């Protein structure tokens, strides 16, 4: 039996007509691209902000945040001068809050530079900029010949080349297809080429039911010819973990008890959520939940049941202990605090359902 080659072998370059593929892709992009605020009247700042916001997030979700952001922080200098709490508050609901802090840190470093970096390598020196973001920013803003490779591009290339091997995860697939993306890159229009690849993956070569009949690459696409586009790329299934949490709804004099996560938290650092029952062992918890909520983050499923609870009258106010992270949020204070997106939504929903 011949052995399956390991999935780290460099990919063969696209079959012969790469110039024709580039031309078809570019013509399609110029005719069909979505008119997005960071593409119309583009600027380096708009490109950077949009690339940070678009990491792990759909275009439709980003649009509203992008408009608000540009109004409040119109350029690198305005962002650099802002307080971190203001920056994170404006990001509230967009998720992956580390991006907001890194974008803020990037602006602070950027304003100290004598000139904007122009190459992908130089952009990678700045906070929060990985290979994908560096290639996107430097190619779009400066015409640097750096190919972007993300999940969308992997999908297009896997299908175009008819690559059937299985990858252990997305990073292995990105590594594998990077030489093919470099070979296909249109060095005379790298910014538009990269945006065309991303746009094709997002709107035509979609995860399910790709629209091959309108695809500019269909003439060369191996997967479409074999009728197996829906099956590619092949990524090993991720194990989903399940976490169940009991959240407490504790009110006192019109204020709701919240818990601010420590600055050292890997996720949602300094953001407020309803307190976890484990953090208040003395609380008297009602058995029937007010609501049961589910949310998925990457491959983790969280099931959170929210229960009304009270604290024993003789218990000292737990919010007085600064190290507890607990705080009482009156409605006015609540509006100023930054909550994780789902918790803000749940609190508002429950307040409407259970007015005092
Ligand atoms: Fe994707 Fe179909 Fe285009 Fe091939 S022809 S790249 S499968 S949309």
């Amino acid at each position: 039996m011949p052995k399956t080659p390991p999935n780290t072998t460099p990919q063969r370059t696209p079959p012969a007509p790469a110039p024709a593929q580039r031309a078809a892709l570019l013509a399609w992009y110029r005719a069909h691209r979505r008119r997005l605020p960071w593409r119309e009247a583009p600027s380096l700042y708009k490109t950077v902000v949009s690339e940070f916001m678009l990491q792990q997030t759909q275009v439709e979700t980003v649009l509203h945040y992008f408009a608000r952001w540009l109004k409040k922080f119109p350029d690198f200098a305005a962002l650099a001068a802002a307080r971190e709490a203001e920056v994170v508050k404006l990001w509230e609901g967009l998720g992956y809050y580390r991006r907001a802090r890194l974008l803020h840190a990037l602006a602070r470093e950027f304003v100290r530079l004598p000139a904007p970096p122009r190459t992908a390598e130089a952009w990678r020196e700045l906070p929060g900029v990985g290979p994908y973001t560096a290639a996107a920013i430097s190619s779009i803003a400066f015409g640097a010949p750096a190919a972007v490779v993300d999940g969308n591009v992997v999908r297009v290339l896997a299908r175009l080349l008819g690559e059937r091997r299985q990858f252990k995860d997305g990073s292995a697939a990105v590594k594998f297809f990077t030489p093919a993306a470099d070979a296909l890159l249109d060095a005379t229009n790298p910014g538009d080429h990269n945006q065309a690849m991303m746009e094709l993956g997002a709107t035509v070569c979609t995860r399910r039911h790709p629209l091959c009949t309108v695809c500019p690459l269909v003439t060369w696409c191996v997967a479409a010819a074999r009728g197996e586009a829906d099956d590619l790329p092949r990524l090993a299934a991720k194990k989903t973990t399940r976490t169940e949490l009991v959240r407490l709804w504790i009110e006192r004099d019109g204020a709701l008890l919240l818990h601010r996560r420590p600055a050292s938290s890997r996720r949602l650092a300094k953001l407020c959520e309803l307190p976890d029952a484990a953090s208040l062992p003395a609380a008297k918890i009602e058995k029937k939940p007010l609501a049961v909520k589910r949310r998925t983050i990457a491959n983790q499923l969280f099931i959170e049941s929210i229960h009304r609870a009270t604290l024993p009258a003789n218990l000292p106010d737990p919010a007085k202990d600064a190290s507890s992270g607990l705080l009482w949020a009156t409605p006015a204070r609540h509006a100023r605090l930054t909550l994780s997106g789902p918790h803000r939504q749940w609190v508002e929903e429950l307040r409407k359902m259970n007015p005092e």
Side-chain angles (χ1 to χ4, degrees), residues 48-199:
V48 172
V49 172
S50 64
E51 286 304 329
F52 270 70
M53 286 190 171
L54 288 165
Q55 290 164 15
Q56 323 268 353
T57 311
Q58 303 275 330
V59 164
E60 294 68 31
T61 311
V62 164
L63 287 171
H64 161 70
Y65 284 90
F66 184 80
R68 255 185 8 172
W69 189 275
L70 265 284
K71 216 166 164 189
K72 177 122 184 169
F73 306 127
D75 50 32
F76 286 109
L79 180 55
R83 285 181 300 113
E84 186 189 274
E86 268 184 286
V87 171
V88 178
K89 177 70 183 161
L90 206 62
W91 200 273
E92 187 183 70
L94 198 52
Y96 299 99
Y97 293 85
R98 214 168 149 255
R99 292 178 296 172
R101 296 195 171 93
L102 289 168
L103 178 55
H104 188 214
L106 181 151
R108 289 187 162 178
E109 284 199 24
F110 184 91
V111 294
R112 288 201 294 267
L113 295 174
R118 300 183 73 86
T119 63
E121 294 71 35
W123 273 96
R124 286 200 62 183
E125 300 291 314
L126 291 173
V129 180
Y132 173 87
T133 309
I137 295 171
S138 61
S139 66
I140 294 169
F142 300 105
V148 294
V149 193
D150 70 346
N152 280 333
V153 175
V154 161
R155 190 162 59 251
V156 172
L157 290 173
R159 291 169 176 176
L160 182 64
L161 302 171
E163 180 53 62
R164 288 169 167 160
R165 75 186 67 199
Q166 188 181 75
F167 300 95
K168 73 173 166 47
D169 55 27
S171 308
V174 163
K175 193 170 167 198
F176 181 84
F177 285 108
T178 295
D182 288 340
L184 188 59
L185 181 71
D186 183 342
T188 54
N189 290 292
D192 277 358
H193 173 92
N194 279 336
Q195 292 189 86
M197 287 293 279
M198 300 184 236
E199 189 81 346

Side-chain angles (χ1 to χ4, degrees), residues 155-156 159-160 200 204-206 210-212 215-218 221 223-224 229:
R155 190 162 59 251
V156 172
R159 291 169 176 176
L160 182 64
L200 192 72
V204 173
C205 194
T206 45
L211 307 171
C212 301
C215 177
L217 299 180
V218 68
C221 183

